[in-house]
Amino acid sequence: PKATAAAPTAATAPAPSKPAAPGGNEDAPRASCYFDSIDDLLQWDSAAMEWVEAQAGSSAPLALPLPGDYPGLPLHRPRIMHCHDYAGGYCKSADEDYLSSFDRWGLFDLFVYFSHHRVVVPPQIWIDSSHHANKIILGTFLFEGRDGGSQAQAFLESEGTWQRAADKLADLCVAYGFDGWLINVEASLGPTRGVFVSFLEYLTRKMKGRVGEHAQVIYYDAHAADGSYAHQDALLPRNKDLFQACDGIFINYQWYEYDTLARSKAEAGDRQFDVYAGVDVWARNCEYDEGPGCKRAVGRAKERGVSVAIFGPGWVQEKGPGHGERPGSEEARRVSNAFWDSALDH
């Protein structure tokens, strides 16, 4: 979920040709996988899963599984989501380098790997690291851009297509060993909005059945009641059906300006912590400053009694005090830790 402003965003990763089994960027870390079309996703099948198993040397999941004593997401306090959008993803700087300087796993509850592809499977290194820290990790399912609306609507017009795609999304989680999806449709749904609700419901049920009750499907706030592409910056009666169809909602960033979270909390009822208030560390089109300035938004969201989705914390390394520091160095770790400790008031 990119913030809606003219400030520069991270470059997207180079698009692959039609993926083999599985797809991915040749320069990406081992066991990475993404797809740039629904057709490529639907062509991913058991042969691809056998390829994954061969890489692992057994029929076990390729990545480190979530520990058996995983307690589930906290139910009685605000949660913190780390949404990682860095240099387009699937590259050394976004993955190995970032992880070498990051060790504040204890400060958040779930991790999202974000990139600008239709289907974003987290690299194995992130799945392993998240599960080692006893945290769940989500990939991203995305439509955006000039043709995003027509592509999303065409996808939803065929029940057979969207159900098969949802089945494949669940299969990918099982094969690669991760825990769910952020559903990021930054495009008009038009008359297919009702079908989109059915897609969310179906995918959520499929994930619980195939992956487990801990699996999460989270919708990014991007639609009005008529299906048009319009951030609501709140949980409201006109988008509550989307929230009810899945495990949570990632509220767009302008909630801070309009201070909508009290209403969002009331609308959520006993699911208040399934509402994630988006906080953009780059502060694009936001009423707070970038970098450390996002602490104001994090604090306000927690005070209002909802969860927080921190988007783009790679700012620290891409632009902030960690820029130019050697990954994994003492100074790189120090500035990373200082950002997280300050932003989350640790």
Side-chain angles (χ1 to χ4, degrees):
K2 58 184 180 296
T4 52
T9 58
T12 59
S17 59
K18 181 178 177 180
N25 178 351
E26 290 180 357
D27 297 324
R30 175 178 169 272
S32 296
C33 175
Y34 62 76
F35 303 98
D36 280 322
S37 74
I38 295 298
D39 285 343
D40 288 339
L41 171 64
L42 295 179
Q43 289 174 27
W44 186 87
D45 56 16
S46 58
M49 297 179 76
E50 290 169 5
W51 184 94
V52 170
E53 292 169 359
Q55 299 303 299
S58 73
S59 59
L62 187 58
L64 183 72
L66 190 67
D69 61 352
Y70 175 68
L73 291 172
L75 301 177
H76 305 295
R77 66 162 175 82
R79 306 164 192 156
I80 305 296
M81 175 197 296
H82 178 313
C83 194
H84 182 63
D85 176 31
Y86 190 115
Y90 297 108
C91 59
K92 186 173 181 291
S93 61
D95 300 327
E96 287 91 345
D97 289 353
Y98 186 93
L99 274 167
S100 71
S101 303
F102 174 75
D103 65 4
R104 285 301 192 254
W105 288 96
L107 299 185
F108 64 92
D109 303 290
L110 67 163
F111 179 89
V112 175
Y113 196 86
F114 184 88
S115 183
H116 296 276
H117 301 282
R118 180 75 73 238
V119 179
V120 176
V121 174
Q124 179 186 346
I125 189 173
W126 277 107
I127 302 172
D128 286 346
S129 297
S130 296
H131 286 175
H132 180 74
N134 215 11
K135 309 297 180 181
I136 61 173
I137 176 169
L138 314 185
T140 304
F141 183 65
L142 174 145
F143 288 91
E144 64 177 355
R146 183 180 59 186
D147 298 324
S150 59
Q151 291 171 347
Q153 292 176 43
F155 165 68
L156 291 166
E157 284 170 355
S158 168
E159 181 175 2
T161 297
W162 64 255
Q163 286 192 353
R164 286 175 57 212
D167 293 343
K168 296 288 186 181
L169 293 175
D171 288 344
L172 281 167
C173 287
V174 173
Y176 282 87
F178 62 106
D179 310 297
W181 297 98
L182 173 68
I183 307 300
N184 190 98
V185 182
E186 296 188 69
S188 175
L189 295 170
T192 64
R193 184 189 181 282
V195 181
F196 182 63
V197 174
S198 297
F199 167 73
L200 289 175
E201 292 172 338
Y202 181 89
L203 176 60
T204 303
R205 288 196 308 271
K206 184 65 65 171
M207 290 293 299
K208 303 296 185 187
R210 294 278 285 127
V211 177
E213 286 299 317
H214 70 278
Q216 294 287 295
V217 175
I218 296 177
Y219 160 74
Y220 174 59
D221 156 40
H223 301 99
D226 63 358
S228 59
Y229 172 34
H231 301 297
Q232 302 302 294
D233 302 301
L235 176 61
L236 302 166
R238 59 178 173 264
N239 63 359
K240 189 173 181 179
D241 56 341
L242 296 161
F243 172 69
Q244 291 174 323
C246 61
D247 296 300
I249 185 170
F250 181 141
I251 298 293
N252 187 57
Y253 313 99
Q254 273 63 61
W255 63 264
Y256 185 87
E257 178 180 355
Y258 305 126
D259 200 11
T260 62
L261 294 187
R263 184 172 182 183
S264 296
K265 176 184 174 183
E267 201 67 47
D270 62 1
R271 293 184 60 198
Q272 69 188 77
F273 300 127
D274 293 336
V275 176
Y276 296 83
V279 175
D280 180 19
V281 180
W282 294 79
R284 289 160 287 202
N285 214 28
C286 294
E287 294 292 309
Y288 47 86
D289 293 332
E290 65 181 17
C294 75
K295 177 179 180 177
R296 292 169 53 198
V298 172
R300 180 176 294 183
K302 293 167 72 175
E303 288 171 2
R304 298 293 190 269
V306 300
S307 296
V308 182
I310 299 179
F311 183 76
W315 175 92
V316 175
Q317 290 79 16
E318 291 189 275
K319 183 180 180 182
H323 183 69
E325 298 292 342
R326 180 172 58 83
S329 68
E330 182 177 350
E331 181 62 12
R333 291 193 298 271
R334 186 193 69 78
V335 297
S336 174
N337 292 342
F339 165 77
W340 283 102
D341 292 345
S342 174
L344 299 180
D345 199 23
H346 177 59

